[in-house]
Amino acid sequence: MNDKFKNDKLKFELIRNADLVCTDCLYKYDDTNMPCNVSKCEMYEEKPSTVIDGGNCDLYDKGVSE
C-alpha cells in the first residue's frame, strides 16, 4: 500500500430522500424500508449524481401536502 494513503479512512453514510431536494418531490419513491429507492424515482432510472450529491434537480416537482 502506498504510504501516502495508509492513514486515509473511508466513510460511508446512508443517504435518504429527506437529505435531498427529493424530500417532498412528487416523483420520489418511498425509501422507508428500501434505501436503494433513494437513487431512483419515477423520472429517473438512476438519479443524476448532482442530485445525489445534494444539488438541485431539473425535474423536481413539489408534491401536494396530504
Side-chain angles (χ1 to χ4, degrees):
M1 175 183 266
N2 187 332
D3 286 339
K4 179 179 176 183
F5 301 107
K6 185 167 63 173
N7 294 320
D8 285 357
K9 299 201 185 310
L10 293 177
K11 182 179 179 183
F12 295 92
E13 291 185 27
L14 189 62
I15 300 171
R16 304 302 277 222
N17 283 323
D19 301 318
L20 307 174
V21 69
C22 314
T23 190
D24 60 356
C25 184
L26 181 64
Y27 305 120
K28 73 178 178 189
Y29 289 154
D30 184 11
D31 67 347
T32 305
N33 295 317
M34 295 194 64
C36 60
N37 277 346
V38 86
S39 66
K40 52 193 170 191
C41 67
E42 289 182 32
M43 302 307 285
Y44 291 109
E45 187 173 324
E46 184 176 320
K47 289 180 187 175
S49 59
T50 54
V51 175
I52 297 297
D53 287 342
N56 291 324
C57 177
D58 292 339
L59 302 178
Y60 169 80
D61 188 3
K62 185 172 182 170
V64 178
S65 298
E66 294 180 21

